[in-house]
């Protein structure tokens, strides 16, 4: 389909969230509400242009939209949803085609629903098509009013509805398709003569209808998709639904999720076939995990790239890159900028930060490796620490291939250890060491006679 445009209304105040953060930036399933909606639209159909209407005080929203290169317009005063849509007119005027309008607070709508709505709208040559839903408790929603032949004639808001209209169970989802040829003129006719003194977008249906244009509504089959997030409680409901969807999607694609109830996987995470996710595990942001991995239990992996055949147990991994065959944990912490090359082991109570650990190297027990480059097949003995910080600045530690670092060694950076060096246990290394040396830097043991004790 050609000439499809999109507008997302997101300038509402979100007062019921009781938050300093704009509503559309609250996250469900690890992603801002607004980006669930933009992604839904983009997946549904190829659009010529997508514009988000943002409100005052939403510098944060603009910053976020800029980051993802989503276009926006600013609604200075919040005069209602019709006024919000009019604000986008400058970006869309003199265009022919169809416009999809969604709200920024409906993260559960699925792209197939939007695709089907647009198809129906175009096929029937409607001027406006509303996505509706038939729900048990329609309180608070705009009601779809049909005439005796079933033709949609208007939408009436809860506050303006008569007792009889309040009985209507078919509600407005806040999602619409409009023919751009007739939309702007109809929108300009909307007034604010209602109890809220707002310009209601929903009034456009009656206006188009009166002017002889074809207006229609199609009802959703899955009513949970319509849920709008207005409160923190609804935020939690939406989060739960999206996380269940994500787990089910992954399981359908060949990932084992042992206990979906305690597994929290963000919307944009990718996981390969035959990977097993054990309970109490959080996989967040843009993490990508390969095939045949075992992740968890009690593990967080955030914004990281994990290759195939990796095991991570009881550990915390953030902004790191892990190559295939690596073993992490139990109880390891990989901080941002860690790169573990193939077959590395980082184990019990070890921490790695902004460091590369080379092929086959081991950091098995109680170590801190920070601002370091560790070569291949290096053994880092238990309790080894890179002393990378002097209170003001950070310094680098370089350890070349096949070095053996004994237990409880301090490497005072900046320091360079050549290949095949052996560092004796308990050494504090302050000077660089060239290849193939044995280095001992500690007090010699002395043994004295014991004083007589009673
Ligand atoms: C709206 C619909 C209602 C529908 C419901 C579905 C109207 C008048 N009513 O009601 O029929 O059943 O959604 O959830 O549209 N917005 C702006 N600027 C404004 C006002 C609103 O951008 O000046 C945006 C809001 O951010 C929101 C959307 O428009 O995304 C809808 O506004 P909201 O106040 O949430 O309307 P509802 O009362 O939920
Ligand atoms: Ca709403």
């Amino acid at each position: 389909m050609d000439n499809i445009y999109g507008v997302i209304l997101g300038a509402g105040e979100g007062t019921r969230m009781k938050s300093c953060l704009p509503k559309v930036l609250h996250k469900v399933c690890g992603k801002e509400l607004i980006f669930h909606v933009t992604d839904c639209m983009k997946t549904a159909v190829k659009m010529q242009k997508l514009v988000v209407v943002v409100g005052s005080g939403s510098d944060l929203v603009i910053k976020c939209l800029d980051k993802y290169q989503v276009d926006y317009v600013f609604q200075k005063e919040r005069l209602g949803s019709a006024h919000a849509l009019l604000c986008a007119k400058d970006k869309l005027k003199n265009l022919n085609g169809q416009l999809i309008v969604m709200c920024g607070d409906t993260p559960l709508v699925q792209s197939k629903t939007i695709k089907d709505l647009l198809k129906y709208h175009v096929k029937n040559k409607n001027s406006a098509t509303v996505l509706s839903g038939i729900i048990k408790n329609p309180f608070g929603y705009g009601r779809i009013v049909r005439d005796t032949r079933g033709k949609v004639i208007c939408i009436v808001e809860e506050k303006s509805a008569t007792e009889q209209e309040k009985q209507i169970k078919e509600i407005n989802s806040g999602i619409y398709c409009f023919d751009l040829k007739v939309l702007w003129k109809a929108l300009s006719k909307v007034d604010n003569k209602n109890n809220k003194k707002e310009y209601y977008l929903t009034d456009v249906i009656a206006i188009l209808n009166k002017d002889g244009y074809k207006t229609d509504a199609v009802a959703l089959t899955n009513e949970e998709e319509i849920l709008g997030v207005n409160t923190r409680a609804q935020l939690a409901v939406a989060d739960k639904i999206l996380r269940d969807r994500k787990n089910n999607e992954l399981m359908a694609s060949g990932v084992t999720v042992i206990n979906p109830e305690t597994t929290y996987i963000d919307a944009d995470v990718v996981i390969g076939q035959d990977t097993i996710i054990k309970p109490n595990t959080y996989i967040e942001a843009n993490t990508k995990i390969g095939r045949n991995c075992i992740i968890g239990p009690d593990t967080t992996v955030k914004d990281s790239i994990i290759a195939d055949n990796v095991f991570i147990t009881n550990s915390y991994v953030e902004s790191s890159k892990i190559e295939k065959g690596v073993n992490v944990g139990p109880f390891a912490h990989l901080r941002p900028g860690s790169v573990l090359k193939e077959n590395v082991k980082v184990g019990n109570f070890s921490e790695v930060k902004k460091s590369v650990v080379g092929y086959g190297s081991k950091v098995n027990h109680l170590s801190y490796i920070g601002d370091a480059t560790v070569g291949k097949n290096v053994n880092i003995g238990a309790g080894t620490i890179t002393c990378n910080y002097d209170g003001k600045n950070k310094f680098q530690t370089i350890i070349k291939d096949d070095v053996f670092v004994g237990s409880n060694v301090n490497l005072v950076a900046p320091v360079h250890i050549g290949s095949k060096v052996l560092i004796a246990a308990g050494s504090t290394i302050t000077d660089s060491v060239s290849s193939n040396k044995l280095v001992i830097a500690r007090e010699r043991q002395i043994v004295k006679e014991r004083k007589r004790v009673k």
Side-chain angles (χ1 to χ4, degrees):
M1 256 180 273
D2 286 339
N3 298 327
I4 309 297
Y5 302 86
V7 169
I8 298 170
L9 308 178
E13 298 202 35
T15 36
R16 282 170 287 173
M17 292 296 284
K18 306 226 167 68
S19 176
C20 298
L21 190 69
K23 176 162 88 175
V24 293
L25 293 189
H26 280 264
K27 288 183 180 176
V28 282
C29 209
K31 184 154 91 176
E32 294 82 356
L33 292 171
I34 187 77
F35 293 120
H36 283 279
V37 182
T38 56
D39 286 355
C40 164
M41 276 217 193
K42 285 181 185 166
T43 320
V45 52
K46 197 176 164 299
M47 273 179 303
Q48 253 65 21
K49 206 181 253 183
L50 174 61
V51 182
V52 179
V53 183
V54 300
S56 63
S58 296
D59 307 358
L60 279 173
V61 183
I62 291 173
K63 220 164 143 190
C64 234
L65 292 171
D66 275 343
K67 200 164 110 195
Y68 294 98
Q69 296 171 345
V70 179
D71 202 2
Y72 62 87
V73 290
F74 190 61
Q75 184 191 21
K76 243 192 249 149
E77 282 179 291
R78 267 152 289 194
L79 302 178
S81 45
H83 176 256
L85 183 53
L86 260 180
C87 292
K89 185 179 169 184
D90 270 356
K91 300 243 174 196
L92 299 166
K93 68 182 166 199
N94 305 327
L95 293 171
N96 279 324
Q98 308 306 319
L99 179 70
I100 306 170
V101 176
M102 288 180 74
C103 294
D105 60 358
T106 51
L108 299 176
V109 185
Q110 295 191 280
S111 52
K112 173 155 191 318
T113 303
I114 300 301
K115 209 179 186 166
D116 291 348
L117 175 74
L118 181 67
K119 241 194 230 158
Y120 180 92
H121 170 79
V122 171
K123 193 173 140 215
N124 289 286
K125 300 196 171 63
N126 292 339
S127 294
T129 311
V130 183
L131 182 70
S132 67
I134 310 223
I135 62 175
K136 276 191 221 86
N137 177 15
F139 179 80
Y141 287 100
R143 310 294 206 284
I144 308 286
V145 181
R146 294 177 184 263
D147 67 11
T148 44
R149 285 169 304 146
K151 186 171 177 295
V152 173
I153 47 175
C154 67
I155 300 175
V156 49
E157 291 303 302
E158 174 80 33
K159 285 207 167 124
S160 320
T162 63
E163 278 314 308
Q164 202 184 354
E165 286 166 340
K166 280 183 186 162
Q167 303 306 313
I168 299 173
K169 299 265 187 290
E170 184 178 11
I171 58 104
N172 169 24
S173 68
I175 297 164
Y176 320 81
C177 286
F178 294 110
D179 185 341
L180 278 168
K181 262 203 310 280
V182 299
L183 173 68
W184 303 119
K185 194 167 157 218
L187 254 189
S188 67
K189 291 187 186 172
V190 173
D191 63 34
N192 65 349
K193 290 186 189 123
N194 52 55
N195 348 23
K196 279 178 86 182
K197 304 238 168 343
E198 275 189 18
Y199 294 85
Y200 288 157
L201 176 54
T202 43
D203 285 352
V204 116
I205 301 298
I207 292 166
L208 286 170
N209 198 49
K210 251 184 231 139
D211 291 348
Y213 295 109
K214 205 171 157 199
T215 56
D216 201 352
V218 263
L220 263 170
T221 39
N222 176 6
E223 65 171 70
E224 82 178 12
E225 287 190 43
I226 310 176
L227 179 78
V229 173
N230 298 306
T231 63
R232 305 261 185 173
Q234 288 170 328
L235 191 75
V237 172
D239 190 72
K240 171 87 177 81
I241 292 171
L242 283 170
R243 291 200 184 278
D244 285 350
R245 259 191 216 165
K246 181 71 186 182
N247 286 339
N248 287 330
E249 219 174 80
L250 287 169
M251 289 188 282
S253 74
V255 175
T256 295
V257 179
I258 291 186
N259 184 5
E261 286 299 308
T262 61
T263 304
Y264 302 85
I265 302 176
D266 285 357
D268 292 336
V269 167
V270 177
I271 303 180
Q273 208 180 357
D274 291 317
T275 283
I276 299 171
I277 311 294
K278 292 190 173 176
N280 240 352
T281 289
Y282 298 76
I283 305 179
E284 301 181 351
N286 292 311
T287 296
K288 286 194 172 53
I289 296 177
R291 291 165 172 248
N292 298 308
C293 296
I294 301 178
I295 312 291
D298 306 308
T299 291
T300 297
V301 182
K302 205 175 186 168
D303 209 13
S304 296
I305 310 286
I306 317 288
D308 299 342
N309 301 306
V310 169
F311 296 164
I312 306 178
T313 310
N314 298 77
S315 292
Y316 196 95
V317 175
E318 34 179 347
S319 306
S320 294
K321 193 165 173 275
I322 299 180
E323 293 188 1
K324 65 183 178 198
V326 167
N327 233 302
V328 176
F331 312 111
H333 186 183
L334 302 187
R335 289 171 52 204
S338 298
V339 178
L340 307 186
K341 300 282 194 180
E342 262 177 63
N343 295 344
V344 160
K345 248 187 113 337
V346 174
N348 315 263
F349 308 102
S350 289
E351 172 179 338
V352 178
K353 187 216 80 172
K354 220 181 187 177
S355 296
V356 179
V357 181
Y359 178 95
S361 292
K362 295 190 182 80
V363 189
N364 268 337
H365 329 269
L366 302 152
S367 287
Y368 172 58
I369 303 296
D371 302 304
T373 305
V374 177
K376 292 181 204 161
N377 299 314
V378 170
N379 183 78
I380 304 282
T384 292
I385 304 292
T386 52
C387 310
N388 59 330
Y389 186 47
D390 66 359
K392 273 195 192 130
N393 297 303
K394 301 277 169 74
F395 299 96
Q396 294 286 320
T397 299
I398 313 257
I399 301 172
K400 303 302 274 187
D401 298 349
D402 304 306
V403 168
F404 185 95
V405 183
S407 295
N408 208 30
V409 166
N410 301 310
L411 296 151
V412 182
V415 70
H416 183 287
I417 310 295
S419 60
K420 298 195 171 109
V421 164
L422 192 155
I423 304 177
S427 293
T428 293
I429 304 295
T430 52
D431 299 318
S432 293
V433 182
S434 56
S435 304
N436 297 304
K437 298 289 191 291
L438 160 67
V439 53
I440 310 175
R442 64 175 185 233
E443 285 282 306
R444 218 166 231 300
Q445 178 173 324
I446 46 174
V447 180
K448 293 181 179 177
E449 286 307 320
R450 240 178 124 185
K451 276 192 196 135
R452 262 183 72 102
V453 275
K454 267 192 209 159

